Amino acid sequence: MSAGSVVVVGGGQAGFQTAASLRQEGYAGRVVLVGDRHPPYQRPPLSKAYLTGRVDVAELAFRPGDFYARHRIEVVPGPVTAVDRAGRTVALATGEHLAYEHLVLATGCRARRLGVPGQDLRGVHYLRDVDDASALVEHLGRAERLVVVGAGFIGLEVAAAARQRGAEVTVLEFAPRAMGRAVSACVGDFFIGRHRAAGTRVEVSTGVEALLDDGDGHVRGVRASTGEVLPADLVVVGVGVLPRTDLAEAAGLTVDGGVLVDDHLRSVDDAAVSAVGDCSRFVDSRSGARVRLESVQNAVDQGRCVAARIAGRPFPYTALPWFWTDQLGSKLQIAGLSAGHDRAVLVGDGVGGPFSVYCFAGQRLLAVESVDRPADHMAARRVLGAGGDALAAVTPDTVRREGFRLRDLVAA
Amino acid sequence: MKLTFRRPDGSHGVHDTDPGTSVMEAAVAHGEDGIVAECGGSLMCATCHVYVDPAFSDLLAPPAEDEAEMLTCTAAERRPTSRLSCQLVLTDDLDGLVVEIPEEQV
Ligand SMILES: Cc1cc2nc3c(=O)[nH]c(=O)nc-3n(C[C@H](O)[C@H](O)[C@H](O)COP(=O)(O)OP(=O)(O)OC[C@H]3O[C@@H](n4cnc5c(N)ncnc54)[C@H](O)[C@@H]3O)c2cc1C
Ligand code: FES
């Protein structure tokens, strides 16, 4: 063990934030960020502006190169191959060992494989990191027919970018809805409509049985569960992610769909180990449910929370979840978690234009999904974040009232 | 060209920047920690809030509707001079621009 040193495993959004916040909080010990061969970078543009060529790799970096030295953050190449909790050290692939007083796991996720014949053919892409994105950009330029498997956020963002680049695009979704787990039915349907209006074919309740070989090891098409064969020279699979928990498991930490942590984001087994971001499964302070979230907000706020604790200013994790996606010029912003809502009230210009959907469980507001209504989103973050009377005042009846604007409640 | 940040503690950061970058990008590049920019300039987070020195107000195009809406409910109070710095792209005529960083972004 080493007094006064933090090792952060993973130089993504959560790992970067943890390291940066440690210094902002005045932590004086050693901070080592174990990253990969790229300086820490943002992922959201990878399925958006990066695919349409509006940003380049250098612009993805969170901070300029000299930031780390200036803040005494040692960025070392990984991966971490093992954790010795008894000895409080981690082993690196280089053979080196690093001692820690606090270990922060920020290992993120890997893309879930499709699990059908032909999934390893050339021309079949996944999108999780900048190397995936660079490979995809190269092929998108040449592709005429793209099939996207999975109408989740990433699949739909890729479909939008490919459409904007002129490819013929089909999206196949196994579930009856787009972005099913994360949004209400009206928002999912709105986005399917947007994609169809842009000329993309979207088929829901349609699975994939096989990816077909052109005889040369390259994909030539997709056989859908309906029996139809869709020709394709490029396939992008966006069927979700799995948390990267192998290290934690091997170290004997409890893992169940993510590293299980307490209300301060410490492993339930070992107070010297924390888990933040996409790999962390924590108790949502509002619903009481254990959740694992994949968002910039979650990575950033959890990194801040753990850094503050290590620097001597502990507080339980209670940040309000929020999220965004951007497709075909429509922005969706979500505040709160809609899981478990039993009614959704749409307020705004109807299903064609800007609107917000208020998701309630009984009388209690759980989440607000705003399509091209940023003011509603910002107000929703305030109201949901504050809780108490301000939140209780927002009921299905209030939001249905003529002229209702959430921001008026915040100003009051 | 020159860009000045007035920080919440009263100190100043004066930086050399290039036209074409946004005020947010310049802040991040020069280690102005008071600009958080969680969404990386996607106009989704409002953690890049600044107050523009009134002397420069007339040189800036007014905020687009999206930006104006994102400025509702910022962490620090909204003022008439409030802007989201990721939307302020530097041009030659903004040489010498002064912006104030609010106390809070989140
Ligand atoms: C294409 C794409 C688009 C997205 N768009 C949005 C969006 O619009 N809005 C939004 O809110 N969120 C979006 N997200 C989600 C958001 O980017 C993630 O939630 C966030 O990056 C999670 O941060 P993290 O640090 O937990 O994981 P990551 O950012 O994935 O970082 C984890 C890092 O850990 C490294 N690592 C893993 N194991 C080891 C090891 N053993 N040793 C060393 N390093 C290791 C990995 O290589 C990786 O670099 C998007 C994600 C993707 C992939
Ligand atoms: S950086 Fe997020 S709104 Fe400006």
Side-chain angles (χ1 to χ4, degrees), chain A residues 9-15 34-36 43-44 46-48 78-80 106-109 127-128 154 157 244 247 276-279 294-297 299 323-325:
Chain A
V9 187
Q13 188 94 44
V34 187
D36 54 30
R43 280 171 164 75
L46 296 180
S47 48
K48 308 178 184 76
V80 169
T107 50
C109 287
L127 180 50
R128 180 67 205 175
I154 290 178
E157 288 174 358
R244 294 176 68 163
L247 260 189
V276 291
D278 283 16
C279 71
E294 296 151 19
S295 71
V296 167
Q297 170 280 323
F323 181 79
W324 83 90
T325 174

Side-chain angles (χ1 to χ4, degrees), chain A residues 119-141:
Chain A
Q119 64 171 1
D120 295 319
L121 291 168
R122 276 182 289 118
V124 179
H125 291 253
Y126 293 80
L127 180 50
R128 180 67 205 175
D129 60 29
V130 65
D131 297 327
D132 297 339
S134 299
L136 185 56
V137 167
E138 204 186 308
H139 290 92
L140 262 185

Side-chain angles (χ1 to χ4, degrees), chain A residues 155-245:
Chain A
L156 289 179
E157 288 174 358
V158 171
R163 197 63 207 121
Q164 280 164 344
R165 295 183 59 144
E168 191 181 298
V169 183
T170 303
V171 179
L172 302 178
E173 168 58 52
F174 176 78
R177 296 223 165 79
M179 305 179 281
R181 285 176 309 131
V183 305
S184 65
C186 21
V187 167
D189 292 346
F190 169 82
F191 276 93
I192 288 185
R194 287 286 286 140
H195 283 269
R196 286 185 177 149
T200 297
R201 181 174 165 198
V202 183
E203 300 295 340
V204 294
S205 303
T206 305
V208 167
E209 282 185 346
L211 305 181
L212 309 174
D213 193 332
D214 69 353
D216 207 17
H218 195 281
V219 70
R220 71 166 167 88
V222 176
R223 191 166 69 238
S225 55
T226 53
E228 183 180 352
V229 171
L230 296 135
D233 47 13
L234 184 64
V235 172
V236 174
V237 180
V239 293
V241 294
L242 297 169
R244 294 176 68 163
T245 51

